[in-house]
């Protein structure tokens, strides 16, 4: 969702992060204005999403994002986390932190990717972001906030459309609120 005219002072924008993944190993966050640049960038993305014209869901009931197998796995991971079992969510966090992307399907037995099925869809990333919001809210663990910021950095670099924009807006606003609360 990057606009070529926008200020690229926040270092984690300006290209599609699924095509050209970011390596956060040496994160460019030593600049004293890093936090304000991050906040300004997120607010600009949120403003652009809000400015988009949303059709009324009642008028367009046929418009919905597909709920994929990966979406269902993220949903199950979130439910398990809420019951005190973080193993699946932690494994998906590690997978994202390592590869910076997801595959379309994973084995339900051991969560190994089925690479031959291709890459995950946009909505699965939004669902994963929602899981991370829930996990951070419940646990207060910065590992979930850190992964959330990276996932949302990725989401902000991808093209998206209604109906995903409504849920994307929610997770971006929550992330920004979490960061403000830490600040």
């Amino acid at each position: 969702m990057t606009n070529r005219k926008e200020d690229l002072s926040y270092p984690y924008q300006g290209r599609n992060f699924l095509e050209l993944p970011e390596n956060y190993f040496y994160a460019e966050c030593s600049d004293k204005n890093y936090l304000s640049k991050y906040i300004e960038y997120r607010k600009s993305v949120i403003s652009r999403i809000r400015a988009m014209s949303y059709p009324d869901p009642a008028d367009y009931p046929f418009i919905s994002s597909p709920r994929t197998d990966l979406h269902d796995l993220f949903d199950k991971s979130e439910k398990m986390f809420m019951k005190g079992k973080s193993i699946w969510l932690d494994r998906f966090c590690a997978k994202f932190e390592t590869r910076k992307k997801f595959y379309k399907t994973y084995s339900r037995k051991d969560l190994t990717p089925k690479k031959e099925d291709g890459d995950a869809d946009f909505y699965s990333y939004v669902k994963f972001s929602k899981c991370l919001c829930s996990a951070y809210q419940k646990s207060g663990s910065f590992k979930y906030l850190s992964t959330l910021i990276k996932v949302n950095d990725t989401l902000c670099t991808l093209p998206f459309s209604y109906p995903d924009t409504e849920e994307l807006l929610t997770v971006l606003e929550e992330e920004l609120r979490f960061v403000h609360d830490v600040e």
Side-chain angles (χ1 to χ4, degrees):
M1 157 118 200
T2 55
N3 178 345
R4 298 207 188 287
K5 295 180 183 176
E6 75 185 332
D7 177 14
L8 295 178
S9 58
Y10 178 63
Y12 304 112
Q13 63 174 321
R15 68 182 188 285
N16 181 318
F17 279 15
L18 293 182
E19 292 174 4
L20 298 166
E22 181 59 50
N23 180 354
Y24 290 90
F25 187 66
Y26 293 108
E28 298 179 34
C29 56
S30 60
D31 180 346
K32 67 179 182 167
N33 296 315
Y34 174 82
L35 184 60
S36 62
K37 290 175 183 177
Y38 152 79
I39 291 170
E40 183 179 322
Y41 173 62
R42 280 299 194 271
K43 285 182 177 180
S44 74
V45 172
I46 288 169
S47 291
R48 280 183 282 156
I49 293 170
R50 282 188 184 139
M52 294 176 78
S53 175
Y54 300 118
D56 183 345
D59 295 336
Y60 299 91
F62 56 88
I63 298 177
S64 65
S65 291
R67 301 308 190 247
T68 63
D69 185 59
L70 183 56
H71 176 275
D72 291 341
L73 283 175
F74 289 153
D75 192 48
K76 184 174 181 176
S77 298
E78 183 178 15
K79 288 175 182 172
M80 289 170 61
F81 185 88
M82 292 305 157
K83 293 179 180 177
K85 298 175 185 173
S86 65
I87 190 161
W88 276 27
L89 186 59
D90 289 347
R91 287 189 64 198
F92 278 120
C93 284
K95 289 176 185 301
F96 184 82
E97 291 284 352
T98 303
R99 180 123 170 26
K100 303 297 187 271
K101 65 191 296 183
F102 291 114
Y103 291 101
K104 187 176 186 175
T105 55
Y106 288 80
S107 162
R108 288 187 177 261
K109 181 179 178 185
D110 60 4
L111 300 183
T112 56
K114 297 179 181 178
K115 297 177 183 179
E116 65 276 6
D117 290 344
D119 294 330
D121 62 294
F122 177 85
Y123 187 71
S124 291
Y125 288 93
V126 174
K127 177 59 184 170
F128 185 60
S129 184
K130 289 171 67 174
C131 292
L132 293 168
C133 285
S134 296
Y136 178 72
Q137 228 169 358
K138 179 175 175 147
S139 70
S141 174
F142 289 128
K143 73 179 178 181
Y144 300 119
L145 180 59
S146 175
T147 304
L148 174 66
I149 291 169
K150 293 169 190 169
V151 171
N152 286 350
D153 279 347
T154 299
L155 284 168
C156 289
T157 69
L158 303 176
F160 49 81
S161 61
Y162 183 86
D164 301 314
T165 51
E166 290 187 22
E167 293 190 59
L168 177 60
L169 182 61
T170 300
V171 296
L172 292 176
E173 289 173 333
E174 278 192 75
E175 172 205 336
L176 201 51
R177 185 175 50 81
F178 297 153
V179 170
H180 276 296
D181 290 347
V182 171
E183 187 185 17

